Amino acid sequence: MHQHNDFPSINQLPPELLCMIFSEGNDGVIDEAPQLWTWLSLSYNVNLLPLILKNSKSLPLSVWYGDGGYEGDDQRLPPEKIMAFLSLTAASSSRWKNLSYQASSESNHSQIIGLPLHTLQRLNVSLSGNIAYTGPLDTPGIKDICVHRCSLDWSSISRLRSLKIDQNTEGPTVEALKNILKASPDLEILRISRSWPDLDIPVDPTPISLPKLRHIYLYKVSISNYSHLLNLIVTPNLRVFAFHYFNNFRPEAFTPIFEAAGRCIGVGNENSKDPSFKLAITSTPSALRIKIRRCVIDVRNAAWSDGVDDLDGRLRCTSAALKGFGDRFSSMIKKVALVGCGNGELGSYCRPLHMFLPRVEELAVTGTLVTDTDASSVLETLSLPSYTESGGMWALPNLVTLRLKVPEPFKTDEILKMVEARKTATGVTPIYRIILEDGKVNRADVENLRTVVKCLELVNTDII
């Protein structure tokens, strides 16, 4: 049995009304500041709703509708409170600008989502269980949609600025998503997570131009489906491509989506004449990040975080992304930074770099957690050719500058060996510049290095 007071307690008042109460001279505030009355909530005392609607005048409204059913049936608000809210506020739906709707999957969604919402710009729907709401949306001005466990009538949606879909088993299919993208040329953000619609591979090869799209986030989605979709979109200004997975799938299964990511991520940079144009690869046991100027490809796999050793998987992802860059960057990227965490993986990335970016002239080994193990792995790879059927192949033959973050202690024997080996190698440009950063080095080692390289720079490095 629920009991309600005729007047709200202080903690039930909306913040807008509290502002009025504690303002001096508040008699004139109501008429002079209707913007303070632009929030409606199902949680408010029903006696306040007419006052809010009146004092907000004709301004757009933000509505929070949470019937408690999302947390469980025992938390659901009384039906009479819901009906009172609807009877008082439904007529104002033409003024609703933002709607946050949180309810049980069994609720009557059409009584809110089905209203004529002609000025609605932002819709956020969260349900307790997966359903497909098939009613058409009367939201001609909608710009931002965020849904959790709810599929909508996607055919009625267009001209979006952002689309976020989470934990949907009811769609949209990739084909439906493709149609939304085609109808939303101003889309800026696309986030799809935990969405497993039926197998549906787009067959229409028509490119989809999304010149304003800057962020793609994919988590726990169908790799084959979404890699096909990514191959259709043209995103000259994409800044972030994030792919987070949850399982230990075969590493090669990731490669199609990363080749598509590499193709998408850097298009806007291909005409850059910036001499500092460079690539950075950050490798840890749980994540991989590829950064090219302001653009980032971010990879995370829960299996990696759980301790599954999958260096080969990270290398495949890297190779696929670099392959996706294509010829656009092969002559432009001449600086690369390898950022490590002390696990000795960095040397393995020299081969993919050589395969897809053979003109690299400067290589940096760095990172807040980098150790001599990381530096040693890179130096070893650069010191010896790898042998194939066609003979020996030296990694990064145009490399002339090597920048090493020097941990303590650090011996330079491996640097000397690498520099000498590349001096005598056929088809390899000798390394003439070594930069040692952030550490300590023996004076004798410094003198030895000066005898084999033309330029030795010590940056924040003490000579002991």
Side-chain angles (χ1 to χ4, degrees), residues 83-212:
M83 293 309 299
F85 177 86
L86 292 171
S87 64
L88 290 168
T89 62
S92 69
S93 65
S94 60
R95 289 202 282 144
W96 293 7
K97 181 180 179 180
N98 306 302
L99 173 59
S100 292
Y101 178 83
Q102 188 180 82
S104 163
S105 55
E106 288 81 26
S107 298
N108 182 1
H109 311 300
S110 62
Q111 61 189 1
I112 290 290
I113 303 178
L115 289 171
L117 303 170
H118 295 167
T119 62
L120 193 71
Q121 293 189 14
R122 181 176 289 111
L123 174 64
N124 190 324
V125 179
S126 294
L127 302 181
S128 60
N130 270 290
I131 70 155
Y133 176 75
T134 57
L137 295 179
D138 192 2
T139 55
I142 195 74
K143 297 295 182 185
D144 306 289
I145 290 181
C146 178
V147 291
H148 171 72
R149 291 180 174 172
C150 179
S151 186
L152 302 173
D153 176 15
W154 303 108
S155 64
S156 63
I157 295 172
S158 62
R159 298 186 296 275
L160 293 181
R161 178 173 52 200
S162 68
L163 177 60
K164 303 175 183 179
I165 301 172
D166 177 54
Q167 204 165 341
N168 276 15
T169 59
E170 301 290 339
T173 64
V174 175
E175 186 67 23
L177 183 58
K178 184 187 70 174
N179 291 333
I180 296 173
L181 299 183
K182 289 174 65 176
S184 302
D186 293 331
L187 192 72
E188 298 175 9
I189 298 173
L190 177 64
R191 293 175 63 93
I192 312 291
S193 58
R194 301 184 291 180
S195 183
W196 293 96
D198 293 336
L199 183 65
D200 171 49
I201 297 176
V203 294
D204 181 2
T206 305
I208 303 171
S209 178
L210 298 172
K212 296 184 179 181

Side-chain angles (χ1 to χ4, degrees), residues 261-278:
R263 187 190 60 78
C264 292
I265 197 74
V267 175
N269 293 298
E270 57 188 0
N271 294 321
S272 172
K273 302 301 181 182
D274 185 355
S276 64
F277 195 89
K278 69 178 182 180

Side-chain angles (χ1 to χ4, degrees), residues 435-455:
I435 305 169
L436 303 180
E437 297 180 335
D438 301 335
K440 297 179 181 180
V441 62
N442 290 326
R443 184 175 300 277
D445 290 335
V446 171
E447 297 304 320
N448 289 334
L449 284 174
R450 292 193 191 280
T451 63
V452 297
V453 293
K454 292 182 179 180
C455 180

Side-chain angles (χ1 to χ4, degrees), residues 81 247 365:
K81 182 173 180 62
N247 208 344
V365 179

